Amino acid sequence: MSPVLTIAIDICFVLVMLGVVGAFVRLVRGPSLPDRIVALDMMTILIVSFCGLYAIQSGETAFVDVAIVLALIGFLATVALARFVERRQIRDDRGKSSSRSRGEGAK
């Protein structure tokens, strides 16, 4: 492997890890559930890119398979969490509208 490629891969590793740290901070601090879901999805994407970088650096093709499987699982998890948030939002909206119709929401 050429020295330029080695340096570029090392820089990419550092940038990916900085992205993971930033996404982890967003995951912990929030402020809302959708923000946390996006941060988790971003972490998944960054870990997939980490696997791809490691596959390039080591020459092991097995890490590409790991990256593909992780990307598929991350996609399914994001879709499932988005459906959860959507259903939760619909349920909350129904609860607010029924309490307003009974006069409970008026001040």
Side-chain angles (χ1 to χ4, degrees):
M1 192 172 354
S2 72
V4 175
L5 185 59
T6 304
I7 292 170
I9 289 174
D10 289 341
I11 291 170
C12 289
F13 273 127
V14 170
L15 292 175
V16 166
M17 291 313 296
L18 286 173
V20 169
V21 169
F24 184 75
V25 169
R26 176 55 55 197
L27 181 69
V28 171
R29 294 187 68 194
S32 67
L33 184 60
D35 289 327
R36 289 184 169 107
I37 292 171
V38 169
L40 188 62
D41 189 42
M42 182 176 164
M43 286 178 69
T44 304
I45 292 168
L46 289 169
I47 292 170
V48 166
S49 65
F50 187 89
C51 290
L53 285 170
Y54 190 74
I56 293 170
Q57 185 181 35
S58 67
E60 293 281 332
T61 58
F63 287 104
V64 176
D65 297 336
V66 170
I68 291 170
V69 169
L70 187 60
L72 289 172
I73 291 172
F75 171 73
L76 293 174
T78 302
V79 170
L81 288 170
R83 286 183 54 104
F84 170 75
V85 168
E86 181 184 27
R87 288 184 180 180
R88 181 175 165 187
Q89 184 69 34
I90 290 171
R91 186 187 64 197
D92 288 348
D93 289 345
R94 286 183 188 163
K96 288 178 184 176
S97 65
S98 66
S99 67
R100 286 184 188 147
S101 65
R102 291 186 297 219
E104 296 172 6
K107 292 184 178 180

PDB file of all heavy atoms in Angstrom, residues 22-43 81 85:
ATOM      1  N   GLY A  22     -18.924  12.697  18.531  1.00  0.00           N
ATOM      2  CA  GLY A  22     -19.941  13.740  18.405  1.00  0.00           C
ATOM      3  C   GLY A  22     -21.350  13.176  18.389  1.00  0.00           C
ATOM      4  O   GLY A  22     -22.260  13.719  19.025  1.00  0.00           O
ATOM      5  N   ALA A  23     -21.546  12.085  17.673  1.00  0.00           N
ATOM      6  CA  ALA A  23     -22.870  11.460  17.633  1.00  0.00           C
ATOM      7  C   ALA A  23     -23.242  10.881  18.997  1.00  0.00           C
ATOM      8  O   ALA A  23     -24.406  10.932  19.400  1.00  0.00           O
ATOM      9  CB  ALA A  23     -22.901  10.369  16.565  1.00  0.00           C
ATOM     10  N   PHE A  24     -22.259  10.352  19.713  1.00  0.00           N
ATOM     11  CA  PHE A  24     -22.532   9.808  21.045  1.00  0.00           C
ATOM     12  C   PHE A  24     -22.958  10.918  22.008  1.00  0.00           C
ATOM     13  O   PHE A  24     -23.870  10.727  22.818  1.00  0.00           O
ATOM     14  CB  PHE A  24     -21.312   9.064  21.590  1.00  0.00           C
ATOM     15  CG  PHE A  24     -21.568   8.410  22.915  1.00  0.00           C
ATOM     16  CD1 PHE A  24     -22.325   7.255  22.989  1.00  0.00           C
ATOM     17  CD2 PHE A  24     -21.067   8.958  24.078  1.00  0.00           C
ATOM     18  CE1 PHE A  24     -22.579   6.658  24.206  1.00  0.00           C
ATOM     19  CE2 PHE A  24     -21.308   8.368  25.300  1.00  0.00           C
ATOM     20  CZ  PHE A  24     -22.067   7.207  25.366  1.00  0.00           C
ATOM     21  N   VAL A  25     -22.317  12.073  21.893  1.00  0.00           N
ATOM     22  CA  VAL A  25     -22.721  13.210  22.727  1.00  0.00           C
ATOM     23  C   VAL A  25     -24.163  13.594  22.430  1.00  0.00           C
ATOM     24  O   VAL A  25     -24.967  13.825  23.338  1.00  0.00           O
ATOM     25  CB  VAL A  25     -21.764  14.405  22.515  1.00  0.00           C
ATOM     26  CG1 VAL A  25     -22.312  15.671  23.142  1.00  0.00           C
ATOM     27  CG2 VAL A  25     -20.389  14.078  23.069  1.00  0.00           C
ATOM     28  N   ARG A  26     -24.523  13.631  21.141  1.00  0.00           N
ATOM     29  CA  ARG A  26     -25.906  13.962  20.765  1.00  0.00           C
ATOM     30  C   ARG A  26     -26.873  12.880  21.247  1.00  0.00           C
ATOM     31  O   ARG A  26     -27.983  13.166  21.670  1.00  0.00           O
ATOM     32  CB  ARG A  26     -26.004  14.130  19.253  1.00  0.00           C
ATOM     33  CG  ARG A  26     -27.396  14.377  18.713  1.00  0.00           C
ATOM     34  CD  ARG A  26     -28.108  15.547  19.340  1.00  0.00           C
ATOM     35  NE  ARG A  26     -27.342  16.761  19.249  1.00  0.00           N
ATOM     36  CZ  ARG A  26     -27.588  17.845  19.987  1.00  0.00           C
ATOM     37  NH1 ARG A  26     -28.583  17.868  20.834  1.00  0.00           N
ATOM     38  NH2 ARG A  26     -26.837  18.913  19.879  1.00  0.00           N
ATOM     39  N   LEU A  27     -26.438  11.626  21.216  1.00  0.00           N
ATOM     40  CA  LEU A  27     -27.272  10.523  21.688  1.00  0.00           C
ATOM     41  C   LEU A  27     -27.559  10.656  23.180  1.00  0.00           C
ATOM     42  O   LEU A  27     -28.687  10.439  23.630  1.00  0.00           O
ATOM     43  CB  LEU A  27     -26.587   9.191  21.397  1.00  0.00           C
ATOM     44  CG  LEU A  27     -27.307   7.916  21.800  1.00  0.00           C
ATOM     45  CD1 LEU A  27     -28.540   7.713  20.926  1.00  0.00           C
ATOM     46  CD2 LEU A  27     -26.388   6.726  21.672  1.00  0.00           C
ATOM     47  N   VAL A  28     -26.570  11.040  23.945  1.00  0.00           N
ATOM     48  CA  VAL A  28     -26.735  11.144  25.393  1.00  0.00           C
ATOM     49  C   VAL A  28     -27.512  12.399  25.784  1.00  0.00           C
ATOM     50  O   VAL A  28     -28.410  12.349  26.620  1.00  0.00           O
ATOM     51  CB  VAL A  28     -25.349  11.122  26.095  1.00  0.00           C
ATOM     52  CG1 VAL A  28     -25.466  11.452  27.562  1.00  0.00           C
ATOM     53  CG2 VAL A  28     -24.684   9.775  25.900  1.00  0.00           C
ATOM     54  N   ARG A  29     -27.202  13.532  25.146  1.00  0.00           N
ATOM     55  CA  ARG A  29     -27.784  14.805  25.564  1.00  0.00           C
ATOM     56  C   ARG A  29     -29.163  15.081  24.975  1.00  0.00           C
ATOM     57  O   ARG A  29     -29.911  15.887  25.515  1.00  0.00           O
ATOM     58  CB  ARG A  29     -26.842  15.936  25.203  1.00  0.00           C
ATOM     59  CG  ARG A  29     -25.551  15.839  26.022  1.00  0.00           C
ATOM     60  CD  ARG A  29     -24.674  16.998  25.843  1.00  0.00           C
ATOM     61  NE  ARG A  29     -25.306  18.168  26.442  1.00  0.00           N
ATOM     62  CZ  ARG A  29     -24.913  19.408  26.221  1.00  0.00           C
ATOM     63  NH1 ARG A  29     -23.901  19.620  25.413  1.00  0.00           N
ATOM     64  NH2 ARG A  29     -25.517  20.412  26.786  1.00  0.00           N
ATOM     65  N   GLY A  30     -29.489  14.473  23.863  1.00  0.00           N
ATOM     66  CA  GLY A  30     -30.831  14.667  23.303  1.00  0.00           C
ATOM     67  C   GLY A  30     -30.910  15.884  22.425  1.00  0.00           C
ATOM     68  O   GLY A  30     -30.089  16.037  21.556  1.00  0.00           O
ATOM     69  N   PRO A  31     -31.857  16.713  22.526  1.00  0.00           N
ATOM     70  CA  PRO A  31     -32.876  16.934  23.538  1.00  0.00           C
ATOM     71  C   PRO A  31     -34.162  16.136  23.326  1.00  0.00           C
ATOM     72  O   PRO A  31     -34.967  16.033  24.233  1.00  0.00           O
ATOM     73  CB  PRO A  31     -33.164  18.427  23.418  1.00  0.00           C
ATOM     74  CG  PRO A  31     -32.917  18.733  21.982  1.00  0.00           C
ATOM     75  CD  PRO A  31     -31.800  17.802  21.562  1.00  0.00           C
ATOM     76  N   SER A  32     -34.369  15.574  22.155  1.00  0.00           N
ATOM     77  CA  SER A  32     -35.617  14.855  21.924  1.00  0.00           C
ATOM     78  C   SER A  32     -35.318  13.451  21.399  1.00  0.00           C
ATOM     79  O   SER A  32     -34.198  13.134  21.014  1.00  0.00           O
ATOM     80  CB  SER A  32     -36.497  15.620  20.925  1.00  0.00           C
ATOM     81  OG  SER A  32     -35.889  15.630  19.658  1.00  0.00           O
ATOM     82  N   LEU A  33     -36.353  12.630  21.380  1.00  0.00           N
ATOM     83  CA  LEU A  33     -36.202  11.259  20.892  1.00  0.00           C
ATOM     84  C   LEU A  33     -35.792  11.203  19.419  1.00  0.00           C
ATOM     85  O   LEU A  33     -34.908  10.420  19.072  1.00  0.00           O
ATOM     86  CB  LEU A  33     -37.487  10.469  21.143  1.00  0.00           C
ATOM     87  CG  LEU A  33     -37.462   9.000  20.778  1.00  0.00           C
ATOM     88  CD1 LEU A  33     -36.379   8.265  21.564  1.00  0.00           C
ATOM     89  CD2 LEU A  33     -38.824   8.375  21.011  1.00  0.00           C
ATOM     90  N   PRO A  34     -36.380  11.997  18.522  1.00  0.00           N
ATOM     91  CA  PRO A  34     -35.922  11.968  17.130  1.00  0.00           C
ATOM     92  C   PRO A  34     -34.446  12.344  16.985  1.00  0.00           C
ATOM     93  O   PRO A  34     -33.740  11.774  16.148  1.00  0.00           O
ATOM     94  CB  PRO A  34     -36.822  12.983  16.424  1.00  0.00           C
ATOM     95  CG  PRO A  34     -38.072  12.975  17.215  1.00  0.00           C
ATOM     96  CD  PRO A  34     -37.626  12.779  18.637  1.00  0.00           C
ATOM     97  N   ASP A  35     -33.952  13.286  17.800  1.00  0.00           N
ATOM     98  CA  ASP A  35     -32.530  13.627  17.758  1.00  0.00           C
ATOM     99  C   ASP A  35     -31.678  12.432  18.141  1.00  0.00           C
ATOM    100  O   ASP A  35     -30.632  12.184  17.540  1.00  0.00           O
ATOM    101  CB  ASP A  35     -32.216  14.782  18.713  1.00  0.00           C
ATOM    102  CG  ASP A  35     -32.767  16.103  18.227  1.00  0.00           C
ATOM    103  OD1 ASP A  35     -32.815  16.299  17.000  1.00  0.00           O
ATOM    104  OD2 ASP A  35     -33.148  16.923  19.073  1.00  0.00           O
ATOM    105  N   ARG A  36     -32.110  11.695  19.129  1.00  0.00           N
ATOM    106  CA  ARG A  36     -31.362  10.521  19.570  1.00  0.00           C
ATOM    107  C   ARG A  36     -31.370   9.423  18.503  1.00  0.00           C
ATOM    108  O   ARG A  36     -30.379   8.729  18.302  1.00  0.00           O
ATOM    109  CB  ARG A  36     -31.938  10.009  20.878  1.00  0.00           C
ATOM    110  CG  ARG A  36     -31.629  10.932  22.041  1.00  0.00           C
ATOM    111  CD  ARG A  36     -32.124  10.355  23.352  1.00  0.00           C
ATOM    112  NE  ARG A  36     -31.592  11.129  24.455  1.00  0.00           N
ATOM    113  CZ  ARG A  36     -32.304  11.963  25.188  1.00  0.00           C
ATOM    114  NH1 ARG A  36     -33.589  12.120  24.935  1.00  0.00           N
ATOM    115  NH2 ARG A  36     -31.741  12.638  26.169  1.00  0.00           N
ATOM    116  N   ILE A  37     -32.491   9.278  17.819  1.00  0.00           N
ATOM    117  CA  ILE A  37     -32.575   8.269  16.761  1.00  0.00           C
ATOM    118  C   ILE A  37     -31.643   8.619  15.610  1.00  0.00           C
ATOM    119  O   ILE A  37     -30.943   7.757  15.074  1.00  0.00           O
ATOM    120  CB  ILE A  37     -34.035   8.111  16.283  1.00  0.00           C
ATOM    121  CG1 ILE A  37     -34.876   7.485  17.398  1.00  0.00           C
ATOM    122  CG2 ILE A  37     -34.111   7.280  15.017  1.00  0.00           C
ATOM    123  CD1 ILE A  37     -36.354   7.479  17.119  1.00  0.00           C
ATOM    124  N   VAL A  38     -31.605   9.881  15.228  1.00  0.00           N
ATOM    125  CA  VAL A  38     -30.713  10.309  14.154  1.00  0.00           C
ATOM    126  C   VAL A  38     -29.255  10.117  14.568  1.00  0.00           C
ATOM    127  O   VAL A  38     -28.418   9.680  13.769  1.00  0.00           O
ATOM    128  CB  VAL A  38     -30.998  11.777  13.767  1.00  0.00           C
ATOM    129  CG1 VAL A  38     -29.928  12.324  12.849  1.00  0.00           C
ATOM    130  CG2 VAL A  38     -32.361  11.889  13.119  1.00  0.00           C
ATOM    131  N   ALA A  39     -28.938  10.406  15.833  1.00  0.00           N
ATOM    132  CA  ALA A  39     -27.569  10.206  16.322  1.00  0.00           C
ATOM    133  C   ALA A  39     -27.194   8.726  16.292  1.00  0.00           C
ATOM    134  O   ALA A  39     -26.073   8.372  15.920  1.00  0.00           O
ATOM    135  CB  ALA A  39     -27.434  10.760  17.734  1.00  0.00           C
ATOM    136  N   LEU A  40     -28.130   7.861  16.668  1.00  0.00           N
ATOM    137  CA  LEU A  40     -27.856   6.427  16.630  1.00  0.00           C
ATOM    138  C   LEU A  40     -27.651   5.947  15.196  1.00  0.00           C
ATOM    139  O   LEU A  40     -26.749   5.145  14.925  1.00  0.00           O
ATOM    140  CB  LEU A  40     -29.010   5.667  17.292  1.00  0.00           C
ATOM    141  CG  LEU A  40     -28.820   4.187  17.513  1.00  0.00           C
ATOM    142  CD1 LEU A  40     -27.653   3.940  18.454  1.00  0.00           C
ATOM    143  CD2 LEU A  40     -30.086   3.591  18.086  1.00  0.00           C
ATOM    144  N   ASP A  41     -28.442   6.464  14.282  1.00  0.00           N
ATOM    145  CA  ASP A  41     -28.277   6.110  12.864  1.00  0.00           C
ATOM    146  C   ASP A  41     -26.934   6.617  12.334  1.00  0.00           C
ATOM    147  O   ASP A  41     -26.249   5.917  11.590  1.00  0.00           O
ATOM    148  CB  ASP A  41     -29.431   6.688  12.053  1.00  0.00           C
ATOM    149  CG  ASP A  41     -29.448   6.180  10.631  1.00  0.00           C
ATOM    150  OD1 ASP A  41     -29.214   4.971  10.427  1.00  0.00           O
ATOM    151  OD2 ASP A  41     -29.696   6.987   9.717  1.00  0.00           O
ATOM    152  N   MET A  42     -26.556   7.807  12.751  1.00  0.00           N
ATOM    153  CA  MET A  42     -25.266   8.346  12.323  1.00  0.00           C
ATOM    154  C   MET A  42     -24.118   7.499  12.861  1.00  0.00           C
ATOM    155  O   MET A  42     -23.147   7.236  12.148  1.00  0.00           O
ATOM    156  CB  MET A  42     -25.120   9.783  12.805  1.00  0.00           C
ATOM    157  CG  MET A  42     -23.850  10.441  12.370  1.00  0.00           C
ATOM    158  SD  MET A  42     -23.851  12.154  12.907  1.00  0.00           S
ATOM    159  CE  MET A  42     -22.134  12.540  12.734  1.00  0.00           C
ATOM    160  N   MET A  43     -24.243   7.051  14.104  1.00  0.00           N
ATOM    161  CA  MET A  43     -23.200   6.195  14.675  1.00  0.00           C
ATOM    162  C   MET A  43     -23.098   4.887  13.902  1.00  0.00           C
ATOM    163  O   MET A  43     -21.999   4.384  13.658  1.00  0.00           O
ATOM    164  CB  MET A  43     -23.474   5.927  16.151  1.00  0.00           C
ATOM    165  CG  MET A  43     -23.191   7.108  17.041  1.00  0.00           C
ATOM    166  SD  MET A  43     -23.576   6.802  18.761  1.00  0.00           S
ATOM    167  CE  MET A  43     -22.308   5.623  19.182  1.00  0.00           C
ATOM    168  N   LEU A  81     -37.602   2.381  14.669  1.00  0.00           N
ATOM    169  CA  LEU A  81     -37.674   3.481  15.624  1.00  0.00           C
ATOM    170  C   LEU A  81     -38.486   4.651  15.080  1.00  0.00           C
ATOM    171  O   LEU A  81     -39.203   5.313  15.828  1.00  0.00           O
ATOM    172  CB  LEU A  81     -36.265   3.931  16.002  1.00  0.00           C
ATOM    173  CG  LEU A  81     -35.497   2.967  16.898  1.00  0.00           C
ATOM    174  CD1 LEU A  81     -34.038   3.392  17.012  1.00  0.00           C
ATOM    175  CD2 LEU A  81     -36.129   2.885  18.266  1.00  0.00           C
ATOM    176  N   VAL A  85     -41.783   6.282  16.864  1.00  0.00           N
ATOM    177  CA  VAL A  85     -41.965   7.706  17.144  1.00  0.00           C
ATOM    178  C   VAL A  85     -43.241   8.219  16.496  1.00  0.00           C
ATOM    179  O   VAL A  85     -43.988   8.991  17.091  1.00  0.00           O
ATOM    180  CB  VAL A  85     -40.736   8.519  16.662  1.00  0.00           C
ATOM    181  CG1 VAL A  85     -41.009  10.009  16.679  1.00  0.00           C
ATOM    182  CG2 VAL A  85     -39.535   8.187  17.522  1.00  0.00           C
TER     183      VAL A  85
END
